[in-house]
């Protein structure tokens, strides 16, 4: 077994680290304070080609594997930045690459690779369906040669900062289906145009972190067969194809966050002197940091295995889900260890701990809650009765 990263992976890590070094704590603190979108950072990532990592080189992308994408995402978060500003393009690529038509790929992938277009919105969640995706109610009804889409989506992030959106909608009523995983379809929507034409209205949702998430109200939005990705009625299965990548990359964000917390907490515990000695000399301060470090290393091994399997076209559902679960828990442990280490200063914005604390908490819940990951492991991997 060889655990060492490849030369390419080392080179990617060092290049992303260098780019992120140009966006320090002050930049992120200010962006967070003002609730702004980190436009300059996302542009720099696009121009350097990192957001096009998973686009095949034939379409102008990096042609890299998920193992390399994981390094990119992890380094972004490890620098103190938040990959959530721009990660959707990587998450959704599985659906587009596996199920998109050649025409769709030729039309969209080259400008996406160049950074001239952004596919940063993924419209799945609805107020009444929640985690139960097969219950979504947004409909795409065929009228002549068009689909007319109506409905409501919630928590759709970056909708105001994306040109395109992958949208999941119902093409067959739920009650008419024998197999409830069918009847949903994926559309590639020109989001900017839909907003301009008044077919999609966006309402920002104020959240505890700077995430640019929104509600979408969709009214009489027309889509053609050319906008349908893959086969009508197979949308749920098609987005499942991108979910393993999403899990692996979310795990990478959490691992990056966890490493950032451990670095900061370690430094602070070594430098801060109270009662005449460094606080890190106290086992009550040192051990939670060391324990979080061990958990992050363990999660990282499972993440690496999941990415390795995915890149070799081997089944990786169990590993991808376990990586997401373990990494988000480890990062949350690291966040709490850092908060405790910093004492009162952990709450002061200028130390950045509270910002990352808010950011990493999301990974336990979204894009899928850890309860649903456990339900997947319990049923699909261990064969226990279905709990969802
Ligand atoms: C900041 C943010 C950004 C987001 N961005 C996007 C996005 O870009 N696109 C998108 O489509 N969605 C997005 N989401 C939505 C996210 O994917 C959902 O919030 C998440 O999947 C959980 O769904 P829910 O909020 O409806 O919770 P619910 O489904 O209502 O669940 C609530 C709680 O009940 C638990 N629960 C539910 N069912 C079970 C069960 N059977 N067993 C055990 N526990 C259960 C869950 O674990 C959860 O803790 C975002 C959410 C947030 C907060």
């Amino acid at each position: 077994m060889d655990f060492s990263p490849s030369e390419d992976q080392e080179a990617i890590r060092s290049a992303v680290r260098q780019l992120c070094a140009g966006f320090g704590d002050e930049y992120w603190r200010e962006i967070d304070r003002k609730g702004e979108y980190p436009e300059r950072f996302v542009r720099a990532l696009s121009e350097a080609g990192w957001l096009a990592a998973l686009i095949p080189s034939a379409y102008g992308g990096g042609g890299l594997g998920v193992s390399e994408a994981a390094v990119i995402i992890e380094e972004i978060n490890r620098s103190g930045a938040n990959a959530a500003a721009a990660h959707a393009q990587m998450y959704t690529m599985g659906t587009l690459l596996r199920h998109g038509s050649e025409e769709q790929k030729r039309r969209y992938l080259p400008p996406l690779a160049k950074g001239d277009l952004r596919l940063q919105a993924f419209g799945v969640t609805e107020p009444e369906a929640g985690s139960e995706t097969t219950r979504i109610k947004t409909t795409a009804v065929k009228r002549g040669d068009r689909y007319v889409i109506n409905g409501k989506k919630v928590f759709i992030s970056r909708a105001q900062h994306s040109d395109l959106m992958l949208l999941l909608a119902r093409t067959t009523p739920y009650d008419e289906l024998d197999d409830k995983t069918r009847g949903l379809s994926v559309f590639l929507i020109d989001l900017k145009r839909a907003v301009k034409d008044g077919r999609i209205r966006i309402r920002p949702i104020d959240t505890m972190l700077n995430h640019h998430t929104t509600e979408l109200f969709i009214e009489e939005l027309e889509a053609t067969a050319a906008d349908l990705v893959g086969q009508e009625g197979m949308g749920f299965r098609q987005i499942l194809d991108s979910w393993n990548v999403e899990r692996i990359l979310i795990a990478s964000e959490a691992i990056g966050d966890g490493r950032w917390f451990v670095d900061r907490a370690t430094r602070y515990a070594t430098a801060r002197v109270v009662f005449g000695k460094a606080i890190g000399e106290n086992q009550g301060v040192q051990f939670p940091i060391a324990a979080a470090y061990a958990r992050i290393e363990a999660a990282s091994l499972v993440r690496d295995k999941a990415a390795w399997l995915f890149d070799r076209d081997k089944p990786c559902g169990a590993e991808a889900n376990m990586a997401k679960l373990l990494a988000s828990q480890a990062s949350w442990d690291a966040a709490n260890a850092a908060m405790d280490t910093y004492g009162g200063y952990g709450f002061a914005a200028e130390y950045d701990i509270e910002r990352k604390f808010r950011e990493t908490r999301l990974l336990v819940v979204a894009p899928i809650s850890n309860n649903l990951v456990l339900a997947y492991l319990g049923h699909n991997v261990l064969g226990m009765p279905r709990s969802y």
Side-chain angles (χ1 to χ4, degrees):
M1 234 179 285
D2 183 0
F3 290 103
S4 47
S6 69
E7 275 181 28
D8 281 354
Q9 287 166 358
E10 290 287 28
I12 290 169
R13 189 178 293 284
S14 128
V16 176
R17 192 171 286 187
Q18 208 178 337
L19 183 151
C20 292
F23 299 84
D25 291 344
E26 297 76 18
Y27 174 79
W28 289 105
R29 210 177 297 140
E30 190 70 355
I31 288 280
D32 183 61
R33 195 176 62 75
K34 293 184 175 163
E36 283 177 355
Y37 185 74
E39 184 60 42
R40 193 160 63 81
F41 178 68
V42 174
R43 207 168 336 112
L45 282 178
S46 306
E47 281 166 9
W50 298 123
L51 298 183
L54 294 176
I55 297 177
S57 41
Y59 300 100
L64 299 171
V66 170
S67 301
E68 286 73 32
V71 170
I72 295 168
I73 293 276
E74 179 188 318
E75 269 315 308
I76 292 173
N77 277 39
R78 189 183 182 160
S79 77
N82 187 359
H87 59 197
Q89 195 156 298
M90 291 195 190
Y91 289 9
T92 51
M93 210 37 76
T95 305
L96 198 52
L97 289 179
R98 280 202 193 175
H99 303 286
S101 64
E102 192 48 42
E103 198 200 323
Q104 284 167 333
K105 290 185 207 171
R106 268 193 274 118
R107 179 166 173 205
Y108 292 114
L109 294 181
L112 284 172
K114 270 202 215 154
D116 293 341
L117 267 188
R118 281 185 191 164
L119 169 54
Q120 289 295 353
F122 195 18
V124 176
T125 306
E126 295 188 7
E128 289 161 65
S131 305
E132 197 178 359
T133 304
T134 54
R135 284 278 187 179
I136 63 162
K137 291 190 167 158
T138 293
T139 52
V141 176
K142 226 171 182 172
R143 278 193 216 145
D145 62 346
R146 305 201 156 230
Y147 294 87
V148 179
I149 307 176
N150 282 284
K152 186 175 167 190
K153 296 278 173 186
V154 70
F155 292 124
I156 308 309
S157 304
R158 301 161 300 271
Q160 293 164 304
H161 304 280
S162 185
D163 300 289
L164 304 171
M165 169 171 66
L166 270 191
L167 178 73
L168 189 68
R170 176 166 299 289
T171 36
T172 306
Y174 187 83
D175 294 339
E176 290 177 18
L177 295 164
D178 291 328
D179 177 351
K180 303 298 186 194
T181 64
R182 298 209 171 198
L184 303 177
S185 304
V186 175
F187 295 89
L188 188 54
I189 299 294
D190 183 338
L191 184 55
K192 282 262 154 66
R193 198 181 64 203
V195 170
K196 194 160 156 262
D197 293 348
R199 298 296 164 205
I200 294 186
R201 195 161 51 82
I202 303 180
R203 190 183 76 82
I205 303 174
D206 197 8
T207 55
M208 73 183 233
L209 71 168
N210 184 27
H211 201 86
H212 298 269
T213 199
T214 69
E215 260 181 303
L216 302 184
F217 302 89
I218 308 169
E219 218 180 318
E220 299 290 290
L221 170 68
E222 289 195 352
T224 65
D227 303 320
L228 181 69
V229 178
Q231 217 183 320
E232 183 183 309
M234 298 302 286
F236 183 71
R237 300 260 164 91
Q238 290 170 201
I239 59 167
L240 282 185
D241 284 338
S242 65
W243 276 351
N244 283 334
V245 174
E246 186 183 87
R247 307 277 193 272
I248 294 168
L249 296 182
I250 277 287
S252 304
E253 288 182 32
I255 290 163
D257 281 348
R259 295 201 156 125
W260 182 90
F261 283 119
V262 167
D263 286 348
R264 293 289 165 118
T266 304
R267 265 192 270 151
Y268 192 82
T270 308
R272 171 80 169 160
V273 174
V274 177
F275 294 114
K277 60 178 184 179
I279 55 170
E281 284 183 37
N282 301 296
Q283 292 179 341
V285 175
Q286 189 182 107
F287 286 6
I289 303 170
Y293 171 73
R295 290 189 195 110
I296 290 156
E297 287 300 306
S300 169
L301 285 177
V302 180
R303 184 274 316 264
D304 289 348
K305 183 177 177 192
W308 186 90
L309 289 169
F310 185 94
D311 286 337
R312 281 155 188 78
D313 272 333
K314 293 177 191 285
C316 68
E319 289 77 6
N321 276 280
M322 286 189 290
K324 190 275 174 187
L325 174 77
L326 297 171
S328 60
Q329 286 173 336
S331 152
W332 183 232
D333 287 345
N336 279 291
M339 260 293 181
D340 288 333
T341 302
Y342 272 70
Y345 295 95
F347 294 81
E350 67 183 283
Y351 286 82
D352 301 300
I353 301 295
E354 61 84 34
R355 172 175 59 81
K356 287 296 267 180
F357 186 87
R358 288 183 274 117
E359 288 173 1
T360 217
R361 183 61 177 82
L362 178 67
L363 305 180
V364 174
V365 173
I368 182 170
S369 84
N370 280 357
N371 270 2
L372 270 291
V373 171
L374 289 168
Y376 171 90
L377 294 174
H379 178 64
N380 294 64
V381 181
L382 298 177
M384 288 188 278
R386 199 179 178 94
S387 68
Y388 56 102

